[in-house]
Amino acid sequence: MEKKELLYEGKAKKIWKTEDENLLISEFKDSLTAFNGKKRSLEEGKGALNNQISAVLFEYLEEKGISTHYVRMLDENHMLHKRTEVIQIEVIVRNIAAGSLSKNLGIAEKTVLPFALVEFDYKNDALGDPKLNDQHCLLLNLVNHSDELEFIRFTARRINTLLGRLFTKMDINLVDFKLEFGRDKDGNIILIDELSPDNFRLWDAKSGESMDKDRFRQGLGGLSDAYQSVLKRIQHRSKEGWA
Ligand code: 5GP
């Protein structure tokens, strides 16, 4: 499968059309951005790491019954996936307080939440990704019916349970993460985008160190080494069998 014309270029990926109108290719870039694009950098090899981490996690979730857009990895930086109509909602799942939750609501960082919190952000850079409640989602026609929001929330929680279990076995705490969903050609809502340390907060269970994009956001350095360590641990688990 080959890249045809460029459909879209985002901050972390280029999306290419293919000869099949229902399939697209994502090219994972080495660029890093934070704070709504205000902080920028390049990290050689980051795209390849995110592509490989995402591929293994999509395979894991598919095996556990979650429908995703993933088809296969083409090479280090390219993933073949289904074409969907993107639902313009960023679905955030949180297990431990950090980031904007601590900043906005004053919950001390590292507080373990009594339940997995699911939040919706409007996927809109110009507006700075504001928080949405269910009525906002309906008002903006981001979904067709409140049942779709329930499905997205339920699926996000299921994904959190599955990924949380996996990361625990890898000595990593799954703090929080962002998911995106889209509608496939048959109208089914499926998981899309990427599953990588660019979108996840991952803390090493022993040292508490960040193994995610916070290393860049906070200027800590060592981003590639941290992502590499996440990939190695995931590959090790996948070889052992998911169970
Ligand atoms: P927070 O709301 O604390 O900034 O982010 C919560 C989680 O969602 C973090 O794991 C963060 O990486 C992810 N997240 C939220 N918004 C975005 C976004 O616009 N881009 C990316 N890459 N991740 C996001």
Side-chain angles (χ1 to χ4, degrees):
M1 194 65 70
E2 280 175 23
K3 294 193 280 197
K4 299 285 182 195
E5 73 197 84
L6 184 66
L7 181 66
Y8 166 82
E9 177 158 9
K11 286 176 276 191
K13 289 191 291 293
K14 286 182 184 169
I15 314 241
W16 302 86
K17 289 188 180 175
T18 67
E19 62 261 35
D20 183 333
E21 62 172 3
N22 292 314
L23 294 176
L24 299 174
I25 293 173
S26 274
E27 177 181 347
F28 285 70
K29 303 198 295 183
D30 288 341
S31 48
L32 271 164
T33 63
F35 310 117
N36 206 6
K38 290 187 194 87
K39 183 171 178 178
R40 289 166 181 274
S41 187
L42 262 186
E43 181 86 17
E44 206 183 318
K46 191 230 19 163
L49 288 166
N50 280 352
N51 186 28
Q52 291 172 83
I53 292 168
S54 294
V56 188
L57 291 179
F58 275 126
E59 283 165 15
Y60 167 73
L61 290 177
E62 282 279 352
E63 199 184 293
K64 300 289 178 189
I66 304 289
S67 298
T68 81
H69 74 163
Y70 176 76
V71 177
R72 66 175 182 275
M73 241 179 75
L74 296 176
D75 62 32
E76 274 207 333
N77 281 76
H78 294 90
M79 178 184 289
L80 183 68
H81 56 83
K82 292 176 194 156
R83 184 176 193 156
T84 63
E85 182 201 328
V86 178
I87 296 173
Q88 302 296 325
I89 299 174
E90 296 186 344
V91 180
I92 316 285
V93 185
R94 301 178 187 271
N95 299 302
I96 300 174
S100 71
L101 182 72
S102 295
K103 190 167 159 249
N104 295 337
L105 299 185
I107 302 173
E109 280 223 353
K110 301 185 184 159
T111 305
V112 177
L113 304 180
F115 53 87
L117 183 68
V118 181
E119 302 175 333
F120 297 144
D121 289 359
Y122 192 10
K123 190 171 151 61
N124 186 320
D125 283 343
L127 296 176
D129 296 351
K131 289 272 163 242
L132 297 169
N133 65 25
D134 285 27
Q135 285 182 302
H136 293 135
C137 295
L138 294 169
L139 187 72
L140 293 168
N141 292 315
L142 303 179
V143 288
N144 299 321
H145 195 277
S146 56
D147 287 354
E148 292 187 341
L149 289 176
E150 278 316 310
F151 175 78
I152 289 172
R153 217 181 250 117
F154 175 83
T155 308
R157 286 214 170 90
R158 175 84 187 123
I159 291 169
N160 182 49
T161 303
L162 292 167
L163 292 180
R165 215 177 270 162
L166 180 69
F167 280 110
T168 300
K169 287 182 191 154
M170 293 161 26
D171 275 334
I172 292 174
N173 288 326
L174 177 59
V175 177
D176 58 32
F177 54 98
K178 176 199 57 136
L179 301 174
E180 295 190 21
F181 292 86
R183 274 172 230 282
D184 69 9
K185 65 176 173 32
D186 303 315
N188 298 312
I189 295 179
I190 62 173
L191 182 67
I192 61 163
D193 195 42
E194 64 181 269
L195 302 170
S196 79
D198 271 11
N199 300 349
F200 283 46
R201 277 200 179 90
L202 302 170
W203 293 347
D204 182 272
K206 290 193 182 118
S207 68
E209 285 217 359
S210 286
M211 305 179 78
D212 57 64
K213 203 166 88 171
D214 273 353
R215 300 206 72 84
F216 169 66
R217 295 189 187 100
Q218 297 170 10
L220 299 172
L223 183 125
S224 285
D225 287 347
Y227 283 30
Q228 189 77 55
S229 173
V230 172
L231 177 61
K232 273 202 186 125
R233 294 191 208 187
I234 289 177
Q235 285 173 332
H236 178 72
R237 277 256 45 106
S238 81
K239 280 198 196 96
E240 303 254 296
W242 296 121

